[in-house]
Amino acid sequence: MIELKTASQIEKMRVAGRLTRGALELAGSLIAPGVTTAEIDKAVYQFITQNGGQPSFLGYAGYPASVCLSVNDEVIHGIPGKRVLKEGDIVSVDVGAVVDGWHGDNAATFPVGKVSDEAQKLMDVTKQCLDTAISLVKPGVRLGDIGFAIQSLAESHGYGVVREFIGHGIGSEMHQGPDVPNYGKPGRGIRLEKGMTIAIEPMINLKGHEVRILSDGWTVVTRSGSVSAHFENTIAVTDDGAEILTKL
Ligand code: MF3
Ligand code: CO
């Protein structure tokens, strides 16, 4: 079901969104060669809980951490642990927080030191996919148009758009309607309306769109073994465009 938010509910989502962005930026600032993914998870947990929120991923469907940290060929849902980051890795950080019953969700891919030109360009284009999608948002626009724009841009660079995982409505729950795919056909899908709040989150692989899940039951990796990038914002549909809620 699609929940249309009132102005006061959107204000609560701004509070959650700001905290969620702060958590993402904190995680990004800690990324460096020699750091373990568990260290980053711990710092994010402390930041969110000390600032009046709860990490919305922790315990969600049994997920064991506050943040997803997905390295190189890991697309999403990488579980923090003993892994040590090294120069040249790229790390997708995904974090959600709930404050007073309202959710924020955001993600970004960060370089560890100097990375290959190929990896850097994938990150830049994936961020551009998200920004392009947000620039199209306004009442009356259809979700097929948004998905088509993301897919066209990614595929124009020869990249693969992940199909099995998509963006989503968000609000009093982390995941709610509508589905927000990163692919689609113009003129299809539901029309956006003022008061809808959605998480747009392109997951783009350097080679091939296919993915598989590791035996831990969570970590999604590219079938090709190529690197992957992920950027996400929570946005509200306004009278004439979009407001990014996951911002400081
Ligand atoms: N942030 C993911 C999303 O955007 C959800 C993470 S799944 C969890 O849908 F189990 F880790 F919470
Ligand atoms: Co999300």
Side-chain angles (χ1 to χ4, degrees):
M1 100 139 204
I2 300 179
E3 181 182 59
L4 293 180
K5 283 77 176 182
T6 64
S8 66
Q9 291 170 335
I10 288 177
E11 176 52 27
K12 291 191 171 195
M13 291 187 68
R14 279 189 199 104
V15 174
R18 202 175 301 130
L19 182 62
T20 309
R21 173 59 54 176
L24 180 62
E25 292 199 354
L26 169 67
S29 74
L30 296 174
I31 286 174
V35 174
T36 67
T37 53
E39 287 165 349
I40 296 169
D41 180 61
K42 189 169 176 216
V44 167
Y45 175 82
Q46 287 174 342
F47 176 82
I48 291 174
T49 53
Q50 286 168 4
N51 286 282
Q54 283 297 318
S56 33
F57 298 3
L58 188 61
Y60 182 88
Y63 187 74
S66 301
V67 58
C68 300
L69 293 171
S70 308
V71 184
N72 297 337
D73 65 320
E74 296 173 356
V75 180
I76 49 168
H77 300 170
I79 301 173
K82 292 191 172 70
R83 183 169 188 160
V84 179
L85 299 178
K86 61 176 200 311
E87 178 98 15
D89 287 343
I90 64 171
V91 187
S92 295
V93 180
D94 190 351
V95 56
V98 53
V99 181
D100 199 15
W102 293 87
H103 287 260
D105 188 4
N106 63 12
T109 304
F110 296 90
V112 183
K114 178 93 186 88
V115 303
S116 70
D117 291 347
E118 198 175 53
Q120 185 61 53
K121 188 183 153 199
L122 175 71
M123 291 190 286
D124 293 344
V125 172
T126 305
K127 173 71 164 53
Q128 220 188 322
C129 285
L130 174 59
D131 292 343
T132 300
I134 293 172
S135 74
L136 293 174
V137 167
K138 64 178 181 185
V141 169
R142 305 178 83 135
L143 285 173
D145 299 320
I146 306 263
F148 178 76
I150 294 171
Q151 182 177 13
S152 304
L153 178 55
E155 291 180 352
S156 75
H157 292 275
Y159 299 152
V161 175
V162 173
R163 308 287 202 274
E164 288 87 344
F165 298 88
I166 57 179
H168 48 93
I170 178 169
S172 61
E173 307 150 295
M174 175 166 61
H175 291 143
Q176 54 185 207
D179 285 348
V180 183
N182 300 301
Y183 51 88
K185 293 194 171 69
R188 303 279 183 88
I190 64 143
R191 291 179 191 279
L192 294 172
E193 286 175 54
K194 182 185 175 180
M196 287 182 182
T197 50
I198 57 175
I200 307 178
E201 49 177 321
M203 290 151 260
I204 309 293
N205 300 341
L206 182 68
K207 294 188 185 130
H209 65 80
E210 299 90 352
V211 297
R212 64 190 176 88
I213 300 181
L214 297 186
S215 58
D216 63 16
W218 281 104
T219 313
V220 178
V221 299
T222 61
R223 272 203 186 269
S224 66
S226 79
V227 293
S228 186
H230 180 208
F231 285 82
E232 173 179 33
N233 271 316
T234 298
I235 63 111
V237 182
T238 64
D239 281 318
D240 58 357
E243 175 185 343
I244 296 175
L245 300 173
T246 39
K247 69 171 200 291
L248 290 184

